[in-house]
Amino acid sequence: MILILRPDQPASSTTLAEIEALVREHEGVEMRVHQFEGSRHHLTEVHLVGQTAAVPSDPFALLPGVLQVVRVTTRYRMIGRHASDRRPVGFHYNGVDFGLDHLHVLAGLCAVDTPEHVDRMFAACQESGLETSRMGAYKPRTSPYDFQGLGASCLPWVFESAGRHGVRVVAMEVTDARHVDEIRDALERTGNATGVMLQVGTRNAQNFELLKAVGQQREFPVLFKRGMGITLEESLNAAEYIASEGNPNIVFCLRGVKTHLGDPHRNLVDFAHVPVVLRQTRLPVCVDPSHSVGRGAVAPDGIPDIFHVTGQGIVAGATSVLVDFHPSPAKALCDGPQALLPEDLPRLVAYARTMRAAYEAAVESFQGEPAGL
Ligand code: PEP
Ligand code: MN
């Protein structure tokens, strides 16, 4: 059971003591207090765990300091969308709203290589009015002989360039807990020129120690990429690890699954799961068309497959798109074949907005329809 307290209650409010007194009446029930700093309000949730099935919700709902009582199913206690749950989806980070009403394109390099390429990419983002990007400094590669990313050494100039171009959030994969400290240090040294969304890659989707580490800090939100060889349910449970450690600011990213049934695409595009994730959880959903499709093929209608699947994800309700670019794909040290050119970015952004408008029109047309088919 989750008790959502009225916002902005001081820690000394009597509500917690009142809840504690009620909880003491029930053996085998424990309370855990979670505090969240929203963009405008300080929020407190009290989670009752243990034998809660027989605990009535009314006595808690009647307390003046309690705004809402949510009965949770045991699955996805933290990230799940539970019956009667009216809490908003998403979060604000560094001035950017990752709720369901805003579409974000996180366009950038799969792997950071030179300051010139990074500068050109951020400049392209700025010209397209984007405040979000992606940059890989720590690359998990299939072969140990492949380029592993520049690591901590590139962070200062990457963050400085992001700040110079008005980019507020850079999605950056971490493969080890110490990378989070390196990112924090580098950001501080650049006077927090930008912000970082920590990316957990598909290969680490079940690296539980890494999930716990990114969950134990709240400074940075997390872009969690579904495991490419595990079920959606297993991936959602992995995201639950992050939230259960205390960090609810998660974007769930679909990026395709590994099977030859998706050939000639690099992975089988799984964006049909966008509404499933939105229905089962309270997480905003991102799609990654680059790692799903993996190639620059163009359909007979003139539209590249990477654009087509981007549209499919947005039309299904995704609110973020993570996409690879490179000013000179032939020279890219990682994933060149799937990189779009910076000059393609305005067209991708316009296309994404068109698809978002189509989605909004579709939602509008379903208002007032009976739920279910
Ligand atoms: C990436 O986004 O750079 C990446 C490695 O993606 P994934 O973890 O989905 O393979
Ligand atoms: Mn890549």
Side-chain angles (χ1 to χ4, degrees), residues 275-288:
V276 180
V277 179
L278 290 171
R279 181 166 60 248
Q280 296 193 2
T281 77
R282 292 170 46 255
L283 303 181
V285 178
C286 177
V287 290
D288 175 343

Side-chain angles (χ1 to χ4, degrees), residues 34-46:
H34 297 262
Q35 315 268 359
F36 304 105
E37 218 48 68
S39 62
R40 286 185 295 272
H41 296 290
H42 176 80
L43 302 168
T44 305
E45 287 182 4
V46 179

Side-chain angles (χ1 to χ4, degrees), residues 110 139 291 324 334-335 338:
C110 179
K139 296 306 301 176
H291 289 82
D324 283 5
C334 181
D335 286 347
Q338 68 194 29

Side-chain angles (χ1 to χ4, degrees), residues 216-236:
Q216 280 159 7
Q217 58 80 44
R218 290 253 196 89
E219 190 177 350
F220 305 111
V222 179
L223 181 82
F224 172 83
K225 299 188 91 173
R226 68 154 303 163
M228 61 181 155
I230 59 175
T231 64
L232 182 65
E233 186 177 348
E234 288 164 331
S235 292
L236 292 173

Side-chain angles (χ1 to χ4, degrees), residues 70-148:
V70 178
R71 279 219 168 264
V72 299
T73 40
T74 43
R75 238 159 51 124
Y76 317 141
R77 175 186 296 274
M78 297 293 296
I79 63 168
R81 182 185 284 269
H82 308 290
S84 79
D85 199 337
R86 299 192 305 270
R87 288 174 293 171
V89 170
F91 53 89
H92 286 78
Y93 171 62
N94 207 29
V96 181
D97 184 342
F98 287 92
L100 293 187
D101 296 332
H102 294 84
L103 178 69
H104 298 292
V105 176
L106 296 94
L109 307 183
C110 179
V112 170
D113 44 21
T114 69
E116 292 71 26
H117 289 155
V118 167
D119 266 350
R120 274 185 63 191
M121 192 60 228
F122 285 139
C125 290
Q126 186 171 36
E127 280 157 30
S128 283
L130 302 185
E131 293 186 315
T132 51
S133 179
R134 59 155 294 152
M135 289 287 161
Y138 308 98
K139 296 306 301 176
R141 302 303 299 278
T142 304
S143 165
Y145 308 113
D146 286 341
F147 175 61
Q148 305 284 311

